[in-house]
Amino acid sequence: DSNLAYSLAVDYNQPTVLIDMDYQFGLISKSLDLTATFGIRELFDHPERGLDEMLINKMLVKYHDKLNIVAAPN
């Protein structure tokens, strides 16, 4: 939930990543008014690529100093 992620990041000062698993509609991305060109959907569409540091960095959208979002692209 976005409220829990925000609380962990801000109130508890913990680095936090929220992953929007709604890769078809991106409800978290829409509710936080985020625009992502690359996100969680690419993992499902191209599983053969694998997961590496460069891919993760492309997927992260900074929302707050301690909160990053892996958004679903619009």
Side-chain angles (χ1 to χ4, degrees):
D1 182 60
S2 55
N3 290 331
L4 176 59
Y6 189 82
S7 180
L8 287 171
V10 177
D11 296 340
Y12 293 97
N13 199 30
Q14 295 296 310
T16 307
V17 175
L18 176 62
I19 301 174
D20 188 351
M21 293 300 291
D22 184 6
Y23 69 94
Q24 292 181 333
F25 300 107
L27 293 178
I28 290 175
S29 303
K30 284 182 177 39
S31 68
L32 296 176
D33 197 28
L34 296 176
T35 301
T37 56
F38 197 84
I40 194 72
R41 184 175 185 140
E42 279 70 27
L43 291 178
F44 294 108
D45 289 347
H46 305 286
E48 70 281 354
R49 175 163 187 214
L51 191 61
D52 58 25
E53 187 176 349
M54 186 168 55
L55 176 63
I56 292 170
N57 287 332
K58 286 173 71 174
M59 293 169 55
L60 292 175
V61 176
K62 189 172 198 74
Y63 185 75
H64 186 271
D65 186 40
K66 296 278 185 174
L67 178 60
N68 289 299
I69 312 271
V70 175
N74 297 345

